[in-house]
Amino acid sequence: ADAEEQQLRELIRAATAPQELLQLSQEPALSSNLAALAIGRLARLARQQHLDSAAIRDDPRFQQLLTTVDEQISQVWNTPLVQLLQSLPALGLARGGRQVRSVEQEVLWRLRRLPLRQLQHLAEHLAGQGQDSPLLPEVLRKLELRWTELEGTHTVVTLMAKVGHLSPALMERLEDKALELAEQLSPEELRRVVLALALQQRRCVPLLRALSYHLLQKPAELPLPVLTDLLFAYSKLSFQQPQVLHRLSLELQPHLGSLSPAQVSRCARSFASLRWLSRPLAEAIAQYCLDSTQNVSITQLCGILVSFARLNFQPSCGEEFFSMVCERLQGQEQQLDMHLLTDVVWSLCVLQQPQATHLCQVLSPEFHTRLRGDPSPRAQSSWLKLLHINATARLETPGYQGPFLPPEALGRDRGKDKDKAKATPLQRGLWEALPGALGGHDLVRYDVSTVYGWDMDAEVVLDNDNKPLPVRDFTAPHLLQSEGTKPLPPGARRVAVLRWELPQFSSRGRELLGRGSMARRHLRAAGFLLAEVS
């Protein structure tokens, strides 16, 4: 009997056509275990040879194989049993059908005894079905209980990437295991782990720090997919690790020419969201746009321009670059989404390249009235940028004649949180220190929202001898409604107190922010001296 069974096993393994397997259904020595192996081999052949699964499924001999399995399903070994869960649906049997349910029930009974490797494969298969399975929650629960048995980086990485999103509790255990194994991870495995964290929005800082450290220890140059995916993941998680970003930018630069415009635009946006400026890479991106003008879409070009503005980056080929941008934009403005067009014009203003035609377009009543009635966060952000654009038109564009935003629109609530209970320690420190230093509360105006779209933490007026004056006594053209009526005395100056809280960024953080650069320019142009604290 053993010899017959071994012979049948060899026939199943060597079969190259469905008929060879279907004929075995009449063999007296065919056990339920061998029938399960035959069905698994049938499913593999059908997939490899692109066979008609309906013809196999409707064959009486296939039905006999199913009956043999069903009658003695408890005698089927673990591996063929688990494979049946994949084979039966692959051959077109309904997932809710009797045969599939019978196999699922048997697997459910055996879950506690299944080896961990089979549990892992089962979880990956069920997770990939895209449909609810009664088995899946139980499989995930068993993996959660047995996570300490997990061995090998491949197993942990695969589970994080394919199954982790289905169970936060399991993902937490996998993160602990990945932390233990971080030193052993290859660059490709590092990529998969960080990508899994990013796609699941899990900002596990200890793990990210460990992965960053071990990534920096890898001596060889990182493959291009690893570079681009790591950059995307770090950006998605807002995790700035200067040494890693320096290495990514350094190693990306030589490959820039082989990237598609979409990839280049994505890289630029990722670096911008991380507020990380690599000047050589940014210069190379600007040159890439000039060299591939016809291949870079208008949307991709806009993404790169906005990224440059966020980083306050002026390319050395600036004249040529901005001429190309304006040329590409000409006549295309109507095709752009209104929020994207606002971002583009705002970016040109940040980089001191405003064009009268673009200012006219976004400051026209037809354009800005569509934004004013929209309460969505995206519209509120675009409205704030319109205030900045309007300030650029007023303060930095001498030849521009209008249109401008109407005065009544400049005091629109920009969603600024005025709640002192939510103030930062630095803010509270300012509120407490300034009255004492200046000599009274009436000498300071706090939390000032200007018509230029910029907020000041405090405003002070100093006379010619640098003595503070009652700030509310004087006219304030930077406010929608001025409390005072007196003009400033000769030689008096307004001082804007600005707070910068960027502890997670390098000391260069303030200079890299396009918004900060624009705010300084506008306030200086409006006659303010700046007092900056951080």
Side-chain angles (χ1 to χ4, degrees):
D2 287 347
E4 274 188 275
E5 186 170 326
Q6 185 58 34
Q7 186 180 9
L8 287 173
R9 191 183 298 274
E10 292 299 328
L11 287 173
I12 292 169
R13 188 179 293 118
T16 57
Q19 293 304 319
E20 299 173 43
L21 294 161
L22 293 170
Q23 286 169 5
L24 298 177
S25 65
Q26 307 304 319
E27 290 287 340
L30 189 75
S31 65
S32 57
N33 187 60
L34 290 174
L37 286 172
I39 292 171
R41 182 67 181 157
L42 270 172
R44 197 173 304 115
L45 288 177
R47 184 178 67 253
Q48 291 171 349
Q49 300 176 14
H50 307 290
L51 302 175
D52 179 12
S53 59
I56 297 172
R57 196 170 59 247
D58 296 338
D59 193 302
R61 294 169 295 177
F62 177 73
Q63 296 299 321
Q64 182 58 46
L65 288 175
L66 287 176
T67 302
T68 303
V69 169
D70 201 37
E71 286 175 348
Q72 292 185 308
I73 195 167
S74 62
Q75 304 302 311
V76 179
W77 295 1
N78 287 338
T79 300
L81 183 70
V82 171
Q83 287 174 348
L84 273 178
L85 281 178
Q86 296 174 263
S87 305
L88 295 180
L91 289 168
L93 274 77
R95 295 187 190 278
R98 187 183 61 79
Q99 292 96 340
V100 175
R101 285 205 312 273
S102 173
V103 175
E104 282 184 337
Q105 189 60 49
E106 182 64 26
V107 171
L108 191 60
W109 285 337
R110 296 193 202 181
L111 273 185
R112 189 175 297 176
R113 303 193 306 273
L114 284 182
L116 191 65
R117 186 169 182 79
Q118 288 181 344
L119 265 184
Q120 174 204 339
H121 290 317
L122 191 56
E124 289 173 28
H125 165 65
L126 294 172
Q129 283 184 356
Q131 295 187 18
D132 291 335
S133 164
L135 259 180
L136 186 56
E138 293 301 322
V139 172
L140 293 175
R141 197 169 292 116
K142 291 292 183 290
L143 282 172
E144 287 170 27
L145 294 172
R146 297 175 62 182
W147 72 277
T148 54
E149 299 174 40
L150 291 171
E151 291 181 356
T153 57
H154 177 75
T155 300
V156 174
V157 171
T158 303
L159 284 173
M160 289 182 84
K162 295 187 176 181
V163 181
H165 65 284
L166 297 171
S167 168
L170 175 60
M171 188 63 178
E172 196 171 321
R173 302 284 185 262
L174 292 172
E175 287 170 356
D176 292 341
K177 202 70 180 176
L179 192 57
E180 287 178 30
L181 301 171
E183 189 175 357
Q184 303 170 33
L185 296 173
S186 68
E188 172 60 23
E189 289 171 331
L190 279 167
R191 179 192 74 84
R192 293 185 69 197
V193 170
V194 177
L195 209 52
L197 292 174
L199 294 175
Q200 296 174 46
Q201 285 291 291
R202 294 184 67 90
R203 198 174 186 273
C204 180
V205 173
L207 179 56
L208 286 169
R209 284 178 178 160
L211 296 175
S212 299
Y213 173 78
H214 292 295
L215 179 71
L216 291 169
Q217 308 312 306
K218 307 293 179 189
E221 190 172 312
L222 299 172
L224 185 55
V226 173
L227 294 172
T228 53
D229 283 350
L230 282 177
L231 178 58
F232 163 79
Y234 276 61
S235 166
K236 185 92 171 165
L237 294 168
S238 299
F239 186 75
Q240 195 202 56
Q241 212 292 334
Q243 291 89 348
V244 170
L245 295 178
H246 176 71
R247 179 171 183 175
L248 294 181
S249 58
L250 200 64
E251 295 188 15
L252 261 175
Q253 192 179 336
H255 295 291
L256 208 60
S258 64
L259 296 180
S260 69
Q263 288 174 311
V264 172
S265 179
R266 195 178 305 121
C267 287
R269 294 199 308 273
S270 295
F271 278 117
S273 72
L274 288 164
R275 294 177 174 84
W276 178 263
L277 175 60
S278 164
R279 290 191 178 275
L281 181 63
E283 291 283 6
I285 290 174
Q287 193 58 50
Y288 178 98
C289 294
L290 289 170
D291 295 340
S292 310
T293 305
Q294 300 309 314
N295 298 325
V296 180
S297 73
I298 189 70
T299 306
Q300 291 158 355
L301 184 61
C302 291
I304 291 169
L305 176 67
V306 173
S307 300
F308 284 176
R310 292 184 70 180
L311 295 173
N312 197 26
F313 171 70
Q314 294 276 0
S316 59
C317 55
E319 188 175 344
E320 191 181 356
F321 177 79
F322 290 117
S323 295
M324 179 270 292
V325 169
C326 292
E327 188 179 324
R328 289 290 308 277
L329 281 173
Q330 194 171 1
Q332 298 295 313
E333 296 93 344
Q334 298 295 338
Q335 276 67 54
L336 295 180
D337 168 78
M338 68 184 304
H339 299 293
L340 179 56
L341 180 57
T342 304
D343 286 347
V344 167
V345 179
W346 178 84
S347 299
L348 289 170
C349 292
V350 169
L351 297 170
Q352 297 178 276
Q353 302 291 328
Q355 301 290 312
T357 52
H358 299 145
L359 295 176
C360 284
Q361 189 158 13
V362 298
L363 295 176
S364 66
E366 298 79 18
F367 187 89
H368 68 70
T369 48
R370 285 188 289 163
L371 278 178
R372 289 185 68 186
D374 188 344
S376 68
R378 180 78 192 273
Q380 294 298 306
S381 173
S382 292
W383 181 260
L384 185 56
K385 286 175 180 170
L386 272 190
L387 292 179
H388 300 160
I389 293 168
N390 190 66
T392 298
R394 288 272 186 203
L395 302 171
E396 296 187 316
T397 319
Y400 180 72
Q401 300 298 314
F404 298 98
L405 294 180
E408 66 273 11
L410 303 180
R412 179 179 172 82
D413 180 20
R414 298 186 292 281
K416 187 176 187 301
D417 192 349
K418 306 282 185 181
D419 188 356
K420 290 197 175 187
K422 296 181 180 179
T424 67
L426 183 55
Q427 253 181 321
R428 287 195 294 270
L430 274 175
W431 292 336
E432 291 167 8
L434 282 174
L438 296 171
H441 285 280
D442 63 325
L443 302 176
V444 192
R445 182 185 279 124
Y446 299 102
D447 222 5
V448 184
S449 293
T450 69
V451 294
Y452 311 121
W454 305 110
D455 296 327
M456 302 182 293
D457 287 277
E459 178 193 353
V460 177
V461 174
L462 301 178
D463 67 12
N464 205 22
D465 297 321
N466 290 328
K467 292 180 180 177
L469 300 173
V471 68
R472 292 172 184 79
D473 289 354
F474 305 104
T475 56
H478 56 285
L479 301 180
L480 185 64
Q481 293 180 328
S482 177
E483 297 172 83
T485 56
K486 300 178 186 176
L488 283 185
R493 291 151 299 167
R494 296 185 191 276
V495 179
V497 181
L498 303 177
R499 164 183 49 95
W500 303 98
E501 299 193 59
L502 299 167
Q504 70 272 44
F505 303 131
S506 68
S507 59
R508 298 181 301 145
R510 288 185 298 180
E511 284 67 38
L512 289 179
L513 294 175
R515 291 174 65 92
S517 173
M518 184 192 253
R520 292 187 191 93
R521 292 201 320 264
H522 285 173
L523 292 173
R524 286 190 183 115
F528 282 90
L529 295 177
L530 304 184
E532 302 181 57
V533 293
S534 59

